[in-house]
Each structure stands twice: as C-alpha cells, then as structure tokens.
C-alpha cells in the first residue's frame, strides 16, 4: 500500500502535514505493546503499520503514513452507536438502558451497575452490547444494514464488514457472551443475546481507515455534521453527550491519565486505533496495532500526547479571552452617522451627542464574554439616553449569551435609556438572538437596526427633535440652504430664477453612478441616500450616507464636471431644486460673487466633513 505523505489537495506541504510528517518519522521508532490477539484474526496485523490523519470541520484532510490501510473499527464504534441510540430514543430512555459512569475498570470487565440495573457506561463492552440491542430494524439483516448505513454516513463513503475478523470474534467472544447473558439474566437486555452479539461483533468488524475515522471524529467536532458530505448525522445536543462520555470513559482505566495528559474526548480500539476530538476544530485518528495492557495503541497515545502539547489542545487550556469581547465604545458627539447634517445640526449634535453611546462587540458571545459586554452596557446605560450595541463583528452567540442579553434588555425596558441593537441578521450567525427579539417585537425590548450607522442616525434625529431643532423638515427658502448662506437677497432671487423645483417619489434614482454631471441639487424636503456599487458583489449597492433638507448633493458637477460617482436615491418623497451648472456659470459670469459665495460654502462644508472624518478616525483607531 502506497504510504501517504502529501496533503489531499496536492499543494506544497502545509504546516499541519509538515508537522505530522515529522511526528510520524519520530514516533515510527517507538516500540512497546503488541497487536491484540485475543481475537485471533487481529493478531495477524503488521505491527509496523502506523498512520495518522487529521480532518478539519470544513473537510480538509491531512494524512501521513499508513492512513489508507484498512483495519477494523473495534471499540471506536461505541460512541457512534451510543449517538445513534440517543438520536433514536432520547436521553432519558437511553440513560435507563446504560449509565454514564466511568468504571475505572478494563474494557471487558464483567462489572454491572446493579443498583441502577444497567451497565455503567456505553464505552465498556457491557454498555456497548446493551446499546447494540437498541439498533432498530424489523430483522437482523435490517438492523445490520442500518448499522452499516450509520457508519457509512459518518465516513462519507460506503463501508463494509471484515468477515474474517467478524467470524474470528464470533468464534472466540465468550467473555462478551458471558456479559450478554448476565445482562439478559438481570433484564438489562431483553432480546436474544446471540442476535445482539452478532450485531455488536459486526459493528466492531467494520473495515475503516485512519482517514475514515478522522472524518468520523471531525463529524463530532462539527456538531454532528459530516464535514465532507454535510450530512447531519447527530443532533448537536447528543454530540455533547457523546463527547462527555468519551471524555470520562473513552480510554477505560487509562481515562484519568488521558484526561490529565492529553485532555481531548477520545476513544480507542483494540485494532490499534484511537480517535480524538477538538470540538469546533478537528478530528484526529491514529492507527498502530501494538497496544498496551489497557488495550490502547502505544504509538497512538504518544501521538495524541505530542499533538496536544505541541498545539496546547488540552480542553482546559484557557483559550477563551472574554475581555476581548468589547472592541470599543464611543459617543455620538465625536462619531456621527453618515447622515450629512447642516452646520446647525452638527453644532447641536456636538453638544448633545454624548447622550448616545455606541458599544461595539466582537468575537464569540458565551456566558463569560456576554457578562463582560452587558456589564459595560449597563454602565453606559447609566450615563446615556441611547445605547447602541453593534454586533457586526460577533460571529457567535450561544444560548447562555442570548439568555443574558434578553435578560439585560428586559431589565432596561421602560427605564430611562433606549436600547438599540445593530447588525443582527435574522439568517446570520446571531439568528437565535434575532429570533428572541423578534418575539418581543410588540414588547419592544430593543430597537433593531440593519447596522450601527442607521441606529446612530435614528438617535441623532431624536436628539435633534428634542433640541426642537427638528424643523418642519422643509427648507424652501434659499437663504436657509447652507450652500447659499451669505448671498444677498437680490442674489438669492437671481439664483431662484434659474433653479428647477423637482419632486421625486420614494425609490426614485435622482442621480445614477457613471452618468454625466451637469446638474446639482439642493434638498428642500425629504431624505436621499448616497449608494455606491460594492465591487465583486453582483452590483449590490451599499448605503454610505444620507442627506436631509438644507443640504446639497451632486456638487461635484460644479467642481470637476466628472461622471457621477454614486447613485442618489430618494428614501421618501423628496422636493429639491436642480441647478444647471451651465446656467449658474452664465449667471455668475455677470454676478461673480454668487459663485464665490457658493464655492466658499462648499469648501467650508467639505473641509468640515474632512476635519470630522479625521476626528472620527482618531476616535475609532
Ligand atoms: O469486544 C471486544 O472485545 C472488541 N470487539 C472491542 C474491544 C475494544 O476495542 C477495546 N478497546 N480498546
């Protein structure tokens, strides 16, 4: 059999398989142990066989050595059969049938929990035999077929049974027979032990490779979904149960030392295979027939110890830094929305903006990090009238975080502070959180916004309305329009003579990106948004700013006459004045002060925007 050395993708050796190749070379020489021979067929295994495979939750596979050599799965089948039982009968029913208590005994120990009248756990042979009884099917053939279908789903390819090993175990499996009959005797199993054992011996005799088992382990790491086929084999709640029992019982009377030294949920098999799981990350499999007195592969244990130490993969290496959940927080006096504001509005927001606090969260929200975030939220809520929590950079919120956030929102509801949540997409990674707040739509626990900019604009509008600056929303008189501030009344009337009053309905594109620019506009009533095409996203448009009454847009026409750089879209019914660049130039040829005043206001407007952008960059860095 050709020994695997390079990654499946055929690319140059990436760091992981470079490490695995070096590890394989180093441990190939490790002696000790011998192939199991209490099942005679297993005793024929070549002790020099040695393969390592790692599969990631997104289906990348790294394999070295004899990772393609077939062997029988043996006890590594047990956690998956336990998962099947949980999936088909549920936790309570399965717990009545088999416990979750480590025995500290050998895998084939004839000890049963006579108090609960069940085997201690599903990892020892007694428990595995009891679990085998739960395989569904109207006939033995049907049950075997279902069992094979389960393991084929887990491997992502059709698996079959090594008949020689099956017959060998069937012929010699007397200890298991004894265990089965003891359990029949006490009612721990009810079906004919020979049928149950037939299925159990067949499950142990399924032919797999290191690569197959790495994928099966990665399926557990991937919340029960096969990384290659994306088939969901187990519900995530049962994966947690399987990993818990693997962690406490998977390595039998070596489980304690394993948890101490390696710290990964794992399962070994007497054929010399060990699987280990790093939840959310990878599945590992090592195959090397020589086993120690506890039935675990000698090289397998060493490989897992080394990988755990080298990459600090022990479950209790603290990787979760809750403190980094808060990216930053700032106030709206320093950072404003992308809504362009008149100088008067900007002045008010510079004063009132501190009443709006923005809290940016990032990373994963679980109990510890959510607690940190909500503690800061509560602090800000005691100081601000509006608190915006932006979840844009949060990629996960687990159940505990969602519950805590809901509780915090309930506690704040009706209090003096308005709570606003931004960037929680109903179909995104925070769907669970979105669903909770959708339920409270009526109760109004929090205002939901597509992004922090929209939330900030909403708060600003409320501050401006509070400052009673909220004008009627119309600025018909040219003197009220920022661009014309400083013009003499006679000059205003000259400009009025050339303006074209225009009305646009909601959704109308007033200016289209790339079009010629020979007109610019001042807004008398309504709101328009500035939208640009997002490169490489099939023409998707992104709203980058919005403009209200008293401000102008399309002024570039006046400055460089270049093509339009963005779409301007009416967000509601809009009344604005259009000014032809040519007409204005003809007018100001005779009345140059008009152009001087307009360009002066424009320059001040642009420098004010630039200055504020610099300040914001300073705050947001
Ligand atoms: O029942 C047996 O003894 C074997 N079919 C499986 C035992 C096993 O793999 C124990 N693992 N270390």
């Amino acid at each position: 059999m050709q020994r695997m050395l390079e990654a499946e993708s055929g690319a140059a050796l990436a760091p992981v398989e470079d490490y695995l190749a070096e590890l394989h070379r180093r441990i190939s020489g490790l002696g000790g142990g011998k192939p199991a021979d209490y099942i005679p067929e297993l005793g024929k295994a070549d002790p020099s066989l040695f393969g390592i495979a790692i599969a990631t939750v997104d289906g990348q596979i790294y394999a070295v050595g004899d990772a393609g050599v077939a062997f029988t799965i043996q006890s590594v089948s047990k956690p998956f059969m336990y998962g099947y039982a949980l999936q088909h009968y549920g936790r309570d029913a399965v717990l009545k049938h088999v416990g979750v208590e480590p025995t500290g005994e050998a895998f084939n120990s004839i000890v049963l929990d006579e108090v609960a009248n069940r085997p201690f756990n599903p990892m020892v042979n007694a428990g595995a035999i009891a679990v085998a009884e739960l395989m569904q099917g109207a006939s033995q053939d049907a049950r075997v077929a279902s069992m094979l279908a389960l393991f084929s789903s887990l491997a992502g390819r059709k698996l079959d049974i090594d008949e020689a090993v099956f017959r060998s175990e069937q012929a010699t499996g007397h200890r298991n027979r004894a265990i089965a009959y003891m359990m029949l005797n006490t009612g721990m199993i009810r079906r004919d032990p020979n049928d149950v054992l037939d299925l159990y011996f067949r499950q142990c005799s399924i032919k797999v490779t290191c690569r197959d088992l790495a994928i099966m382990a990665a399926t557990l790491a991937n919340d029960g979904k096969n990384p290659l086929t994306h088939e969901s084999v187990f519900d995530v709640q049962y994966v947690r149960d399987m990993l818990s029992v693997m962690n406490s019982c998977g390595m039998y009377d070596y489980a304690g030392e394993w948890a101490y030294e390696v710290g990964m949920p794992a399962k070994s098999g007497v054929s010399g295979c060990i699987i280990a799981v790093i939840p959310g990350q990878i599945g590992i499999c090592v195959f090397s027939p020589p086993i120690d007195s506890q039935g675990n592969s000698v090289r397998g244990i060493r490989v897992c110890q080394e990988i755990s130490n080298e990459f600090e993969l022990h479950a209790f290496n603290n990787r979760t830094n809750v403190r980094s959940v808060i990216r930053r927080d700032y106030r709206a006096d320093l950072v404003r929305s992308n809504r362009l504001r008149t100088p008067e509005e900007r002045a008010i927001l510079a004063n009132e903006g501190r009443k709006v606090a923005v809290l940016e969260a990032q990373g994963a929200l679980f109990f510890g990090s959510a607690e940190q975030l909500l503690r800061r939220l509560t602090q800000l809520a005691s100081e601000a009238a509006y608190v915006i929590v932006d979840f844009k950079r949060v990629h996960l919120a687990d159940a505990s975080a969602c519950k805590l956030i809901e509780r915090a929102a309930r506690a704040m509801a009706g209090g003096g502070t308005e709570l606003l949540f931004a960037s929680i997409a109903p179909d995104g990674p925070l769907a669970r959180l979105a669903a909770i707040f959708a339920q409270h739509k009526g109760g109004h626990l929090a205002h939901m916004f597509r992004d922090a900019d929209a939330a900030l604009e909403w708060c600003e509008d409320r501050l401006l309305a509070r400052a009673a600056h909220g004008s009627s929303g119309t600025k018909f008189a040219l003197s009220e329009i920022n661009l014309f501030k400083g013009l003499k009344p006679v000059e205003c009337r000259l400009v009025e003579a050339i303006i074209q009053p225009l009305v646009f309905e909601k959704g109308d594109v007033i200016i289209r990106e790339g079009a010629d620019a020979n007109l610019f506009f001042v807004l008398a009533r309504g709101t328009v948004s500035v939208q640009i095409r997002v490169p490489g996203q099939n023409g998707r448009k992104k709203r980058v700013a919005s403009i209200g009454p008293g401000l102008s847009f399309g002024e570039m026409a006046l400055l460089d006459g270049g093509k339009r750089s963005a779409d301007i879209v009416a967000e509601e019914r809009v009344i604005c004045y259009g000014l032809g660049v040519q007409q204005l130039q003809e007018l100001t040829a005779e009345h140059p002060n008009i152009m001087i005043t307009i360009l002066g206001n424009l320059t001040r407007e642009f420098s004010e925007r630039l200055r504020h952008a610099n300040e914001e960059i300073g705050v947001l860095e």
Side-chain angles (χ1 to χ4, degrees):
M1 165 61 72
Q2 182 259 345
R3 290 187 162 220
M4 288 194 197
L5 268 176
E6 77 275 358
E8 298 270 325
S9 60
L13 280 189
V16 174
E17 83 260 74
D18 179 44
Y19 168 76
L20 288 182
E22 179 264 323
L23 181 66
H24 185 273
R25 260 194 309 281
R26 236 170 350 91
I27 298 183
S28 293
L30 180 68
K34 64 183 185 58
D37 55 11
Y38 73 96
I39 302 171
E41 197 59 26
L42 290 185
K44 298 178 183 166
D46 169 357
S48 72
L49 290 172
F50 177 31
I52 310 171
I54 287 182
T56 65
V57 289
D58 62 351
Q60 175 70 35
I61 298 167
Y62 303 102
V64 294
D66 303 306
V69 171
F71 54 89
T72 51
I73 193 172
Q74 296 302 329
S75 287
V76 169
S77 63
K78 294 171 178 173
F80 302 107
M81 288 292 279
Y82 181 57
Y84 172 93
L86 290 167
Q87 193 77 22
H88 288 78
Y89 298 88
R91 272 176 133 228
D92 298 344
V94 175
L95 265 176
K96 289 199 182 73
H97 206 65
V98 60
V100 291
E101 223 29 74
T103 61
E105 303 269 347
F107 67 86
N108 55 2
S109 64
I110 306 186
V111 285
L112 300 166
D113 180 347
E114 287 163 17
V115 177
N117 196 36
R118 62 187 181 190
F120 279 104
N121 71 67
M123 300 297 122
V124 289
N125 287 9
I129 292 166
V131 167
E133 184 188 35
L134 300 178
M135 182 51 70
Q136 294 179 341
S139 66
Q140 186 67 359
D141 288 351
R143 286 186 284 273
V144 170
S146 303
M147 182 267 291
L148 268 175
L150 166 69
F151 285 96
S152 299
S153 294
L154 287 160
R157 71 180 182 96
K158 189 172 177 330
L159 298 178
D160 52 32
I161 292 168
D162 183 322
E163 291 299 331
V165 171
F166 164 67
R167 281 194 302 281
S168 177
E169 173 144 28
Q170 195 177 42
T172 58
H174 309 309
R175 191 177 178 90
N176 284 330
R177 230 166 247 112
I179 293 171
Y181 276 96
M182 273 182 65
M183 292 199 288
L184 180 70
N185 182 51
T186 55
M188 290 182 192
I189 62 172
R190 286 175 178 60
R191 280 191 22 238
D192 173 354
N194 292 308
D195 278 357
V196 178
L197 284 168
D198 175 83
L199 189 118
Y200 170 73
F201 293 148
R202 286 181 191 280
Q203 99 186 35
C204 290
S205 307
I206 293 173
K207 258 192 302 193
V208 291
T209 66
C210 219
R211 186 182 172 287
D212 293 327
L213 291 188
I215 294 165
M216 292 188 194
T219 298
L220 298 185
N222 195 33
D223 294 342
K225 193 180 273 187
N226 182 309
L228 294 181
T229 63
H230 309 300
E231 179 190 350
S232 192
V233 185
F234 301 116
D235 290 355
V236 65
Q237 56 176 313
Y238 300 132
V239 172
R240 195 196 70 183
D241 297 339
M242 295 159 74
L243 293 175
S244 306
V245 176
M246 285 167 72
N247 199 49
S248 56
C249 313
M251 301 298 279
Y252 311 119
D253 43 352
Y254 184 68
E257 200 163 335
W258 176 275
Y260 187 77
E261 292 291 346
V262 181
M264 305 171 191
K267 185 73 204 83
S268 65
V270 282
S271 51
C273 51
I274 294 179
I275 62 164
V277 179
I278 310 291
Q281 300 186 49
I282 57 172
I284 303 169
C285 177
V286 190
F287 167 56
S288 166
I291 58 171
D292 61 21
S293 59
Q294 288 150 324
N296 303 316
S297 165
V298 173
R299 289 196 189 103
I301 288 180
R302 173 65 71 80
V303 165
C304 292
Q305 277 171 341
E306 294 240 0
I307 292 177
S308 176
N309 296 339
E310 175 73 14
F311 299 113
E312 298 185 3
L313 294 174
H314 192 291
F316 300 134
N317 277 338
N318 172 16
R319 264 182 297 276
T320 45
N321 173 356
V322 296
R323 278 177 290 285
S324 63
V325 70
I326 296 172
R327 182 161 188 265
R328 64 184 161 202
D329 61 69
Y330 51 85
R331 301 299 177 95
D333 56 338
L334 297 175
V335 178
R336 283 203 308 274
S337 74
N338 290 334
R339 166 88 178 211
L340 300 183
R341 302 286 183 185
T342 65
E344 299 78 17
E345 290 170 335
R346 287 199 294 262
I348 290 169
L349 292 176
N351 283 336
E352 299 295 305
R354 274 203 70 69
K355 293 179 181 156
V356 180
V358 181
L359 176 58
E360 289 185 359
Q362 64 183 357
L365 287 177
F366 37 79
F367 182 85
S369 54
E371 184 281 328
Q372 285 262 340
L373 181 73
L374 296 171
R375 205 179 328 145
R376 182 73 183 125
L377 169 63
T378 311
Q379 222 171 14
L380 290 171
S382 66
E383 303 155 6
Y386 305 90
V387 179
I388 301 168
V389 184
D390 185 7
F391 292 88
K392 183 177 172 192
R393 291 176 184 78
V394 173
H395 63 261
L396 174 136
D398 73 3
S400 67
C402 293
K403 288 179 186 156
L404 280 178
I405 293 169
E406 186 186 5
R407 276 179 182 280
R410 272 183 205 287
M412 283 178 65
T417 302
E418 299 261 11
L419 183 58
L420 299 87
F421 286 167
S423 319
I424 301 183
D427 53 358
L430 305 180
R432 185 180 351 212
L433 199 53
I436 287 173
F437 284 91
Q439 284 165 24
H440 295 286
K441 214 172 193 61
H444 213 47
L445 278 191
H447 305 280
M448 308 300 274
F449 289 85
R450 73 172 179 280
D451 58 30
D453 182 63
L456 204 44
E457 187 173 330
W458 186 90
C459 295
E460 288 171 358
D461 290 345
R462 268 140 200 80
L463 288 179
L464 291 170
R466 270 198 195 177
H469 177 78
S471 66
S472 62
T474 60
K475 292 188 186 298
F476 286 120
L478 285 201
S479 58
E480 291 183 284
I481 306 261
N482 189 47
L483 194 63
F484 304 121
K485 285 261 167 61
L487 287 182
K488 299 188 193 75
V490 63
E491 291 168 334
C492 277
R493 281 194 294 281
L494 287 169
V495 174
E496 274 163 14
I498 61 166
I499 59 175
Q500 311 153 39
L502 302 161
V503 179
F504 295 95
E505 298 308 328
K506 181 174 177 163
D508 285 356
V509 179
I510 303 170
I511 285 179
R512 196 170 291 285
E513 186 179 346
D516 293 337
N518 43 38
L519 201 64
F520 68 96
F521 303 81
V522 281
L523 203 51
R525 171 187 288 170
T527 298
V528 300
S529 64
V530 182
Q531 301 184 7
I532 58 168
R533 192 190 312 281
V534 181
Q537 294 199 15
N538 309 331
R540 185 174 73 80
K541 298 280 169 142
K542 179 173 170 46
R543 179 184 189 275
V544 290
S546 66
I547 301 169
L551 291 172
S552 53
F553 56 91
E555 313 92 330
M556 293 303 184
L558 195 56
L559 298 178
D560 64 13
K563 298 287 184 192
R564 299 295 190 187
S565 59
D567 287 359
I568 303 289
V569 180
E571 290 209 336
E572 57 187 320
R573 189 161 198 275
V574 156
I575 299 174
C576 59
Y577 303 139
L579 277 103
V581 174
Q582 194 183 341
Q583 288 90 338
L584 187 61
Q585 283 163 344
E586 284 159 9
L587 174 65
T588 54
E590 288 177 36
H591 306 281
N593 181 54
I594 292 177
M595 184 61 91
I596 292 165
T597 305
I598 290 175
L599 290 178
N601 289 333
L602 215 45
T603 315
R604 260 187 300 283
E605 176 63 25
F606 286 159
S607 68
E608 155 47 36
R609 288 184 200 170
L610 206 53
R611 196 188 303 282
H612 193 78
N614 294 342
E615 275 169 18
E616 286 193 353
I617 292 166
V619 172
L620 299 179
E621 267 313 305

